[in-house]
Amino acid sequence: MQLTIDLTGRDVLVIGSASAARQAIRRYEAAGAVVYRLSTPNGAEGDGPLPERPFLVAAVDDGQPGWEPLLERCRNTGIPIASEPAAGEPGHVTLVGGGPGSLELLTVGAVSALRDADVVFYDRLAPYQELAALTTGELIDVGKRPGHHKVAQRDIEQLMVDTALAGKNVVRLKGGDPYVFGRGGEEVAACVEAGVPVRVISGVTSAISVPAAAGIPVTHREVSHMFTVVSGHAPLTEKEHLHLTGLGGTIVVLMGIGTLPQLAAGLSRAGMDPATPMAVVERGYRPGQRTTMAELGTIVTAAADCTNPAVLVIGDVVRVAEANRNQVEATADLDRLAASLLEA
Ligand code: SAH
């Protein structure tokens, strides 16, 4: 989290142990302050000179005894004190689900892990545009490198492990939930193998939230009582087409734009009704969000210009969204009618 105050050129004394204060120091530097350090109540080597009268004392809650006399002097002489939380224990990895791309759908846990990060490895599906406001950690895009090459999965794992072993708090920020087609399990295994402490913070998956952005509930009473989430990364087998058709609930497909023609043909061959409602929701929660609704028999033509990232929804729940939208529009019509009657 960045400070929202401009401290350009102001002397700020940050008190607290080097490890606990490392993030507070970055925050004050980012706000433009001239940062001075006192890492123990009596000063330590490397702390440098102290300002005559700082504009502000940032007191990091580092658990050390002995700060009270200094704080008392500040209070008596009118130097403001800002309380700062200590940075977490260094040297661990947190896999964070970033949700579908809207700040509102980040969890409280995600926000606090980002605040505590020294380094953030993120990719394009994570809510990366807002990152600078959420962390003072170094931001590293592993989705694309300057040469536009993706960093290989094994290299990402190595980077995370090496950075944590070098004593940094690493956040690996992923789109949606880390355990839904996110390779989170592999990244956890790499940390465990290297002896690096690791934890996972679940995120809001696009499988549920992106249909919701288009008004589609993945389950609905008396319409669908199950939903299956499928990867469309590679075409499905005939057996899988048959299974999905036989299930009868809602089918949600991620990474499915490239294989949409094969999927539609396969489900039709397996006997799914060509009038089954389908929707493609592109860029959920982002500028340019768009929903294309059609039926199994017409979706390939209707969605010909759809691009990733997009979520496909197959099943009668798509009609619930249509019905709700018509309802909302009908209510608006009634409101307009009532208003014009009142005016008359
Ligand atoms: N772990 C992620 C999924 C990663 S696979 C999650 O839980 O959401 C990547 C796929 O997710 C994309 O191809 C697309 O199908 C879907 N996706 C992620 N974010 C999306 C968004 N904002 N809008 C539409 N689809 C999205």
Side-chain angles (χ1 to χ4, degrees):
M1 198 84 62
Q2 304 280 23
L3 297 172
T4 49
I5 178 172
D6 180 7
L7 292 170
T8 303
R10 304 286 194 179
D11 290 348
V12 170
L13 175 62
V14 179
I15 66 171
S17 72
S19 168
R22 66 192 195 280
Q23 285 155 1
I25 292 170
R26 283 204 304 266
R27 282 197 287 280
Y28 282 95
E29 283 175 349
V34 179
V35 170
Y36 295 85
R37 291 281 300 118
L38 193 61
S39 20
T40 69
N42 300 315
E45 221 178 296
D47 275 356
L50 294 186
E52 198 120 307
R53 186 187 159 87
F55 178 73
L56 179 83
V57 167
V60 176
D61 180 19
D62 68 354
Q64 279 190 85
W67 291 114
E68 194 42 43
L70 185 139
L71 295 174
E72 190 57 33
R73 271 207 309 282
C74 290
R75 280 181 216 114
N76 291 339
T77 52
I79 297 173
I81 303 167
S83 301
E84 293 288 339
E89 276 302 304
H92 63 247
V93 170
T94 310
L95 254 65
V96 174
S102 147
L103 265 192
E104 292 203 338
L105 294 180
L106 272 184
T107 65
V108 174
V111 170
S112 101
L114 283 166
R115 186 192 163 109
D116 201 33
D118 297 307
V119 180
V120 180
F121 294 109
Y122 67 97
D123 49 44
R124 291 283 144 157
L125 279 176
Y128 62 91
Q129 272 138 340
E130 284 93 3
L131 272 184
L134 294 169
T135 181
T136 53
E138 186 188 351
L139 303 179
I140 300 178
D141 180 358
V142 288
K144 263 179 200 156
R145 265 195 183 153
H148 294 294
H149 291 301
K150 267 183 80 160
V151 182
Q153 180 65 26
R154 201 163 308 152
D155 294 339
I156 295 177
E157 288 162 15
Q158 195 65 50
L159 267 172
M160 284 168 35
V161 164
D162 291 349
T163 311
L165 288 176
K168 303 267 176 70
N169 272 356
V170 175
V171 162
R172 170 74 173 113
L173 182 67
K174 303 177 145 290
D177 183 275
Y179 280 167
V180 179
F181 306 134
R183 308 192 75 165
E186 292 162 61
E187 293 176 7
V188 167
C191 292
V192 170
E193 196 180 320
V196 170
V198 57
R199 67 193 177 121
V200 178
I201 297 179
S202 297
V204 175
T205 180
S206 65
I208 298 170
S209 60
V210 170
I216 305 173
V218 290
T219 69
H220 193 72
R221 220 169 103 82
E222 287 170 4
V223 175
S224 173
H225 66 173
M226 65 175 92
F227 63 99
T228 310
V229 182
V230 185
S231 164
H233 182 65
L236 301 182
T237 62
E238 282 309 279
K239 206 166 158 192
E240 287 167 329
H241 290 137
L242 271 171
H243 279 317
L244 285 176
T245 302
L247 269 173
T250 307
I251 303 169
V252 177
V253 187
L254 304 193
M255 299 179 280
I257 290 297
T259 54
L260 179 58
Q262 287 102 311
L263 180 73
L267 294 177
S268 301
R269 277 199 303 279
M272 190 180 279
D273 181 356
T276 306
M278 273 187 79
V280 175
V281 188
E282 295 167 271
R283 298 176 292 277
Y285 301 92
R286 297 179 188 200
Q289 176 181 318
R290 177 171 76 156
T291 308
T292 305
M293 289 188 184
E295 295 174 347
L296 176 63
T298 55
I299 191 72
V300 173
T301 317
D305 70 341
C306 290
T307 53
N308 279 314
V311 172
L312 313 181
V313 189
I314 307 171
D316 288 334
V317 287
V318 170
R319 289 219 180 94
V320 176
E322 276 177 317
N324 283 348
R325 198 169 47 193
N326 292 340
Q327 194 95 47
V328 171
E329 279 165 14
T331 314
D333 283 346
L334 278 179
D335 287 346
R336 273 194 291 276
L337 180 65
S340 65
L341 283 176
L342 281 177
E343 265 171 37

